[in-house]
Amino acid sequence: MFDIYARSFLEATRFTPNTRPGSKAQERPEVTAQKRQRHLLLWQRRPYWA
């Protein structure tokens, strides 16, 4: 029983507001790569008035 309480306490206190990693650090690398590729394509295309 104590093991269950200890495990739930550790999960609850895993991150404090000061030590919580940012949302960018939690993203998966392949998702970040896909976003970069999408932005690159948008920046490389011609403007609509040309």
Side-chain angles (χ1 to χ4, degrees):
M1 193 68 175
F2 179 74
D3 184 43
I4 295 171
Y5 286 125
R7 196 176 318 141
S8 63
F9 175 77
L10 286 175
E11 282 297 317
T13 59
R14 189 170 169 194
F15 293 116
T16 65
N18 293 330
T19 60
R20 183 177 305 279
S23 60
K24 290 284 185 185
Q26 292 178 348
E27 281 187 352
R28 297 191 309 273
E30 62 272 7
V31 173
T32 307
Q34 288 173 354
K35 284 184 182 178
R36 282 199 185 117
Q37 186 67 26
R38 204 172 334 145
H39 290 302
L40 182 65
L41 289 174
L42 286 174
W43 276 101
Q44 286 179 342
R45 70 179 186 178
R46 291 175 43 162
Y48 68 92
W49 61 85

